[in-house]
Amino acid sequence: MNETIKTDVVIIGAGPVGLFAVFELGLLDIKAHLVDILDKVGGQCAELYPEKPIYDIPGIPYITGQGLTQALMEQIKPFKPTFHLGEMVTTVEKTGEAAFRVGTDTGKIFECKAVVIAAGGGSFQPKRPPIDGIEAYEEKSVFYAVRKMEHFRDKRLLVVGGGDSALDWTLNLQPIARRLTLVHRRNEFRGAPDSVNKMRALVAAGGMDLKIGQVTALEGSNGMLAAATVKGNDGSLSRVECDAMLPFFGLTMRLGPVAQWGVKMENELIPVDTAAFESNIPGLFAIGDINTYPGKLKLILSGFHEAALMAQKAYRYVYPDKKLVFQYTTSSTSLQKKLGVA
Amino acid sequence: MKERDDAAGSQRVNGAPMPKIIFIEHDGTRHTVEAEIGTTVMETALRNDIGGIVAECGGSCTCATCLVHVDETWSPIVGPPSPEEEDMLDSAFEVKPTSRLSCQIKVTAALDGLIVHTPAYQGR
Ligand SMILES: Cc1cc2nc3c(=O)[nH]c(=O)nc-3n(C[C@H](O)[C@H](O)[C@H](O)COP(=O)(O)OP(=O)(O)OC[C@H]3O[C@@H](n4cnc5c(N)ncnc54)[C@H](O)[C@@H]3O)c2cc1C
Ligand code: FES
């Protein structure tokens, strides 16, 4: 059974701009749900540079990527947005005047009055190793994420990588796998020391194998793996028989499904007008790094401005019969009530 | 007329010629470009539209999409990666002993003539 959620606006992407959109919409009494493929909020700020400084947020001389994310979360708290993390929006359809249906890869369906695409540089997706023919195995015997552990019971598994994802899944899957081999390009692991120790203990006890090298070729048929070739650092090749491979090489930003929603795109960006940051489809907005217009700068501050203007136009779709009165947060009691300070 | 900053050829900074970097793309395309001392090899590549460098994280050593293979003869001069960079190399592909993240190589006068090879693919 698909769950259907009714709300005013769905924001696709919980990067800094998507988060601030909650604030601007909230001031206008517009409720929002946010969906992000990452398991955390903050987009590029949280995923790519949490510890690095940002110096050009107006009024804030210095803040880290993570610091800004936390500050935004604090700022939007009064509006109680609902987050759907670890989910990718796969479909967006306009179903009527001020009516959209938005679907995610976990089968959730939203019905809303306007959609805000704040998808930044696209969705963060796993890096795909450059192995000839790997596409044929993907989602059949090569997986970049574990959705159901049971799927791997009694299989011969190849886990590739040296970070926490590779180590965690090694430790989680080792007990149920028929045989597990961890492949990493060097004998040092950057993952949590405790996980590294547990993994090494399993190797010492003969419970799993560790191979130092890089996977260079795959064998199999009809999408089902039979074996992988591992090239050692001395150039030697070895063959590891396996039923499934799980490569963990981190994430990269790819445009993803945005291109399939029928919205007009130019060089992987969504052209918008600069009065409301609306796409060619009325009610479908694009703000932040994903949009383009003459003079566009991919800066957080530009995204914030775009969110404010977007909200004014979104109001007309959500409350077609009401008239919007411009107010300041400094002096408006009604805005302050919404913010929980009056 | 003022001397233009981006003038090609004999531009000098503090009287010293600008170091040259040679980028060789995976298909053999060769680019010889000038690099500003103090910038990084990654920035030099982007400024000169060298193929094969993505640099998604803008040089903060968190994406490993700026991988280069330093030419064998230059590898000892460029030196090894820092531990932080070595960790990040785990997220790159076809890593060799001479591989580096180009955003972590600072251009110095000693690197004049540096040869680096850019890969066909950086994970996207
Ligand atoms: C190293 C670095 C330093 C930077 N420094 C600065 C700086 O100093 N100042 C500045 O102003 N800017 C800086 N930027 C740029 C700034 O981070 C971006 O402009 C900003 O993150 C854009 O915000 P956004 O919300 O539009 O998109 P993003 O931060 O890219 O977030 C978009 C989110 O949408 C999600 N998403 C995309 N598609 C889908 C989908 N189909 N379903 C679900 N989720 C989806 C993604 O997973 C992502 O989390 C820097 C960027 C980098 C990489
Ligand atoms: S540019 Fe991201 S690691 Fe070098």
Side-chain angles (χ1 to χ4, degrees), chain B residues 6 11 14-15 21 26 36 62 76 78 94 101 103-104 106 119:
Chain B
D6 57 358
Q11 193 193 354
N14 301 332
I21 297 182
H26 73 103
E36 205 177 302
T62 49
V78 173
E94 295 173 354
L101 294 177
C103 69
Q104 301 301 306
K106 275 248 171 354

Side-chain angles (χ1 to χ4, degrees), chain A residues 145-276:
Chain A
V146 178
R147 292 246 196 229
K148 274 208 191 84
M149 282 203 6
E150 264 319 293
H151 191 88
F152 299 99
R153 181 174 292 278
D154 299 328
K155 299 257 168 77
R156 295 165 303 172
L157 305 180
L158 207 61
V159 177
V160 192
D164 282 315
S165 307
L167 287 166
D168 289 350
W169 285 118
T170 293
L171 298 178
N172 285 330
L173 293 170
Q174 185 275 339
I176 63 167
R178 188 163 123 212
R179 189 72 190 170
L180 188 145
T181 306
L182 175 62
V183 180
H184 182 41
R185 71 174 185 96
R186 55 182 179 136
N187 202 4
E188 284 86 50
F189 288 80
R190 66 183 189 285
D194 180 52
S195 313
V196 179
N197 292 340
K198 283 187 182 144
M199 178 275 294
R200 292 214 193 271
L202 280 172
V203 173
M208 61 169 278
D209 300 307
L210 170 63
K211 256 191 166 338
I212 305 303
Q214 301 178 60
V215 177
T216 53
L218 301 176
E219 295 166 43
S221 56
N222 298 326
M224 300 316 292
L225 272 183
T229 305
V230 178
K231 189 176 176 187
N233 293 346
D234 55 0
S236 63
L237 297 180
S238 56
R239 195 170 168 274
V240 183
E241 293 195 347
C242 58
D243 307 305
M245 179 169 89
L246 297 153
F248 296 105
F249 287 91
L251 304 172
T252 180
M253 294 191 92
R254 278 192 231 131
L255 183 62
V258 178
Q260 293 144 32
W261 300 338
V263 55
K264 190 174 158 221
M265 305 209 62
E266 264 169 29
N267 297 324
E268 312 217 314
L269 297 167
I270 303 175
V272 289
D273 70 273
T274 51

